[in-house]
Amino acid sequence: MQGHEHHHAHAGQPVLQHAPSAHAEIDHQLALAAAEPDQGGRVIEVELEAREVEWSIGDGRHFSAWAYNGQVPGPTLEGRVGDVLQVTLTNRLPEPTTIHWHGLRLPAAMDGTDMVQRTVAPGESFTYWFRLIDAGTFWYHSHTNETVQLERGLYGALVVRGDDEPRFDGEQLLVLDDLKLDRQGRLARFGGFVQWHDGREGDVRLINGRVEPELTIAAGQIERWRIVNASSARYVRFALGGAPFHVLGSDVGLLEQPREAREMLIAPGERVELAVGPFSEGQELPIESLAYWRTTIKRRKTERFGSLEVGAERPSRATVPAKLRAIAPLARPNATPNRTVTFAVKYGLNRGMDFVVNGDRHHHDAPVRVGELQVWDIVNDTLMDHPFHLHGFSFQVLSVNGEPRGWTSWEDVVNLPPKSRTRIAWIADDRPGSWMYHCHILEHHAAGMMGHFDVVR
Ligand code: C2O
Ligand code: CU
């Protein structure tokens, strides 16, 4: 580790807020403690340098952006369950930054928020170190000045593979984003009431950092697609021109069984995994986001993110299995909630509009005890959709407006429809420290729609 002091701390000492740099030893101990001693995975060492870069989006346009290792999205990190990921972030930006490991169950000190670590100043480095516990499609992104740093390109995907996963003919990763460019074709400056209210959406739609690219698939084959919605505020109602596909997985790994669908809502921060194909040679399908009105000022029509060209036939060895895995439900759909978290808006004098949780900007919520079942009602008291994101832990959605969900899955983001009540269940495993939840529309998060709480033993 560079630019980072080592101090000795005693095991069992609580993780202190705002002083994590003095706890490098403890960070490591916690990271290792999160794993079984005999798991014996590899240590994957990665260097990520956050720096300015010229970003070419593939249609001749390019502009100054911020990226990990000079590419948007940043490098796709891959590991297997049980591996240790050790990522050294070096900050070559003109302002502080951090990395949040979205969806991962890691020690609090590795969560990458300014609540659990000192932000990494320009010229400094910080090493994140944790074991990969769950298989699934995750992502990493800046958690400092997010509305600016994510828009400029500081995000990437992280794929964790498990044993006994179903086999497909191929796999593609689609990281979706949109950009707002100004008249000169540069990233637009943030501003204005519409952007505060709706969150920033742009008219340039990207897959893997390229504007409306053409993807290909061989005729007759079935691929596994991992999709990440990395945009600041855009809801993607994903469709392939109406062609059916199978939903295989959600935020954190596979569902119990595939569900057939022709469209899939992917809120900001969410991931889905799909089985796509087989198609016949010569077909061309739009990769699009269908019209979705989340009660914003600006309405989105059906828009294209890219296209899928079906090439020459190739043999297939893939079938979509009827069963993917078993997930034990944490609670019955009508379990009694022990906490209510209310997302609301407040009209204030200076800002015009505040986004609040239980009436406060940056709500300080009650502690959660390790091992105790949490049944939370997440109430959306506003007329807009909000994607609720819980850091560091996965939850199950029990019901929405009293209606059981109908399937069990592991999530770290759930969309809250307007004027709704979503009941979730989760259990804090033994990772005490400071954690947060927030709206993943970055502008709402920045405007105060977040809560923080401690997990305690
Ligand atoms: Cu991707 Cu605090 O979130
Ligand atoms: Cu929101």
Side-chain angles (χ1 to χ4, degrees), residues 35-53:
E36 318 272 296
D38 56 355
Q39 242 173 323
R42 299 168 298 166
V43 177
I44 303 168
E45 290 181 42
V46 180
E47 308 268 336
L48 289 181
E49 192 179 69
R51 59 176 138 93
E52 197 169 332
V53 70

Side-chain angles (χ1 to χ4, degrees), residues 197-198 235 294 343 355 382 384-387 438-445 449:
H197 179 275
D198 292 4
Y235 276 61
R294 52 187 179 89
F343 278 30
F355 289 83
T382 78
M384 306 169 73
D385 293 64
H386 301 278
H438 59 82
C439 175
H440 218 288
I441 291 176
L442 303 179
E443 291 72 19
H444 295 176
H445 178 196
M449 197 170 249

Side-chain angles (χ1 to χ4, degrees), residues 100 102 113 139 141 143 146 269 389 391 436 438 440 445:
H100 169 56
H102 183 125
T113 70
W139 63 302
H141 61 77
H143 214 281
E146 284 165 69
H389 170 47
H391 275 220
M436 63 168 70
H438 59 82
H440 218 288
H445 178 196

